[in-house]
Amino acid sequence: QVQLVESGGGSVQAGGSLRLSCAASGYTYSSDCMAWFRQAPGKEREGVAGIMTGGRTFYDDSVEGRFTISRDNVNNTVYLQMNSLKPDDTAMYYCTAVFCGSWSTRGDWGQGTQVTVSS
């Protein structure tokens, strides 16, 4: 059974940093493109950062230059380093597999991890 577990969220002030992790069990990341999504209250879930199997990355314009996605295929974990956080980044963050180069999902969702940024 595939299980994705996101962690690393928390409450920070604007300008702060957080590093999110997404660990998988019953599933191997190395053959899939992965992405981080977020969903704020009252809004639709949106893609923020993706990474190809070869390591190439892509970002939503709202986080370009502030967020960095990376992967550790040995430990089956995907990370999201978030710097210069803004109140607008407040949301529940999720990771999942995607069709490469797109935000179209093709995997299961984890329970998410909450990020709250105060001004």
Side-chain angles (χ1 to χ4, degrees):
Q1 182 179 358
V2 175
Q3 185 176 14
L4 300 175
V5 179
E6 299 93 342
S7 62
S11 297
V12 297
Q13 291 190 328
S17 299
L18 286 171
R19 189 192 194 203
L20 307 184
S21 299
C22 176
S25 59
Y27 175 64
T28 301
Y29 282 144
S30 61
S31 60
D32 268 333
C33 296
M34 301 295 296
W36 284 94
F37 290 74
R38 66 185 179 188
Q39 186 168 21
K43 295 187 177 181
E44 293 188 354
R45 194 170 298 188
E46 61 178 1
V48 295
I51 187 165
M52 309 282 207
T53 53
R56 183 176 179 182
T57 58
F58 54 99
Y59 300 92
D60 183 77
D61 288 346
S62 65
V63 306
E64 181 81 51
R66 299 188 298 121
F67 290 11
T68 302
I69 187 172
S70 61
R71 65 194 302 160
D72 180 345
N73 290 337
V74 173
N75 293 310
N76 220 24
T77 303
V78 177
Y79 301 99
L80 185 66
Q81 178 67 44
M82 305 187 298
N83 299 327
S84 302
L85 283 162
K86 305 175 181 179
D88 284 349
D89 295 319
T90 295
M92 187 72 80
Y93 284 72
Y94 304 86
C95 73
T96 192
V98 294
F99 289 98
C100 295
S102 78
W103 300 121
S104 297
T105 62
R106 57 181 297 271
D108 298 305
W109 295 101
Q111 85 290 347
T113 186
Q114 177 68 40
V115 172
T116 302
V117 184
S118 58
S119 57

